[in-house]
Amino acid sequence: AQSVTQLDSHVSVSEGTPVLLRCNYSSSYSPSLFWYVQHPNKGLQLLLKYTSAATLVKGINGFEAEFKKSETSFHLTKPSAHMSDAAEYFCVVSDQSGGYQKVTFGIGTKLQVIP
Amino acid sequence: DTEVTQTPKHLVMGMTNKKSLKCEQHMGHRAMYWYKQKAKKPPELMFVYSYEKLSINESVPSRFSPECPNSSLLNLHLHALQPEDSALYLCASSQEGRLAGAAEQYFGPGTRLTVT
């Protein structure tokens, strides 16, 4: 069975400082991992994905994440937070099951950016 | 075109009403999904269609009835809902998993449903 744990339900950073959103996963197979962002009253947008290629994945809006198998982690980082980054972030693990993707969402991390 | 569209954006319905939510994508994706999202919670999977056939029903009550008329459209028919069904309903699509590997899902903006 797969699972994903987002270690912080709420993260607050000052504008211009680094962002770190933590995610740990468990999976019986070689997982695919995703980070999605959701702004208030909006749908989810893919930030980046890991699918067994390079372990350091670059995404949109300056975000990146590093897949560390030994630590079963896929933490999301950004060097410098912008006010527009304030949103809910979901870490997602996916594997193949019965011909479709079984997708498990983390509980989400709310990122607050302080001016 | 990497967009998933959903209509309506907002819907208010009484417990005796019948209504439908609609979702459309033109990316050639063969898997489509319905999710329910309550406030401050992650999306919960409801249904998965793969090649226009229902492949997953996550024990959703029968007052929710999905339909996939063709590869681009996905409907969710609603009947006799309860106030606790009020939520954001999200549609998503992806390349069919078995062929495309672990493809990402593309989400629509959602329909905000309020049941009175």
Short mmCIF file of all heavy atoms in Angstrom, two decimals, chain A residues 2 16 21 23 33 44 49 52 62 105 108:
data_model
loop_
_atom_site.label_atom_id
_atom_site.label_comp_id
_atom_site.label_asym_id
_atom_site.label_seq_id
_atom_site.Cartn_x
_atom_site.Cartn_y
_atom_site.Cartn_z
N GLN A 2 0.42 2.25 -0.66
CA GLN A 2 1.20 3.48 -0.73
C GLN A 2 0.61 4.51 0.21
O GLN A 2 -0.58 4.48 0.53
CB GLN A 2 1.23 4.01 -2.15
CG GLN A 2 -0.13 4.40 -2.71
CD GLN A 2 -0.05 4.76 -4.18
OE1 GLN A 2 0.82 4.32 -4.91
NE2 GLN A 2 -0.99 5.58 -4.64
N GLY A 16 10.95 36.57 -0.17
CA GLY A 16 12.37 36.63 -0.49
C GLY A 16 13.22 35.59 0.23
O GLY A 16 14.40 35.45 -0.07
N LEU A 21 8.99 22.68 1.75
CA LEU A 21 7.78 21.94 2.09
C LEU A 21 8.15 20.46 2.06
O LEU A 21 8.61 19.95 1.04
CB LEU A 21 6.65 22.24 1.11
CG LEU A 21 6.28 23.72 0.93
CD1 LEU A 21 5.09 23.85 -0.03
CD2 LEU A 21 5.98 24.40 2.24
N CYS A 23 7.86 16.30 2.36
CA CYS A 23 6.99 15.19 1.97
C CYS A 23 7.76 13.88 2.09
O CYS A 23 8.86 13.76 1.56
CB CYS A 23 6.50 15.38 0.53
SG CYS A 23 5.55 13.99 -0.13
N LEU A 33 6.07 10.60 -8.32
CA LEU A 33 5.76 11.58 -7.29
C LEU A 33 5.50 12.94 -7.93
O LEU A 33 6.15 13.29 -8.92
CB LEU A 33 6.92 11.70 -6.29
CG LEU A 33 7.17 10.44 -5.47
CD1 LEU A 33 8.58 10.42 -4.93
CD2 LEU A 33 6.17 10.36 -4.32
N LEU A 44 -6.33 22.31 -9.16
CA LEU A 44 -4.93 22.01 -8.86
C LEU A 44 -4.08 22.17 -10.11
O LEU A 44 -4.50 21.78 -11.21
CB LEU A 44 -4.80 20.57 -8.34
CG LEU A 44 -5.15 20.35 -6.88
CD1 LEU A 44 -6.65 20.42 -6.66
CD2 LEU A 44 -4.61 19.02 -6.41
N LYS A 49 7.05 16.86 -11.45
CA LYS A 49 6.84 15.43 -11.26
C LYS A 49 8.17 14.68 -11.33
O LYS A 49 9.10 15.10 -12.02
CB LYS A 49 5.89 14.88 -12.31
CG LYS A 49 6.44 14.93 -13.73
CD LYS A 49 5.47 14.29 -14.72
CE LYS A 49 6.02 14.34 -16.14
NZ LYS A 49 5.10 13.70 -17.12
N SER A 52 11.28 8.58 -12.20
CA SER A 52 12.47 7.70 -12.25
C SER A 52 13.54 8.16 -13.23
O SER A 52 14.35 7.36 -13.65
CB SER A 52 12.08 6.25 -12.53
OG SER A 52 11.71 6.07 -13.87
N GLY A 62 10.01 28.44 -10.48
CA GLY A 62 11.22 28.36 -9.68
C GLY A 62 11.25 27.27 -8.63
O GLY A 62 12.19 27.19 -7.84
N PHE A 105 -3.08 11.38 -2.22
CA PHE A 105 -2.73 12.76 -1.88
C PHE A 105 -2.27 12.86 -0.43
O PHE A 105 -2.82 12.19 0.45
CB PHE A 105 -3.95 13.66 -2.05
CG PHE A 105 -4.26 14.04 -3.46
CD1 PHE A 105 -4.86 13.15 -4.33
CD2 PHE A 105 -3.96 15.31 -3.92
CE1 PHE A 105 -5.14 13.50 -5.64
CE2 PHE A 105 -4.24 15.68 -5.23
CZ PHE A 105 -4.84 14.78 -6.08
N GLY A 108 -1.84 18.08 2.54
CA GLY A 108 -1.65 19.44 2.10
C GLY A 108 -0.85 20.27 3.09
O GLY A 108 -0.89 20.03 4.30
#
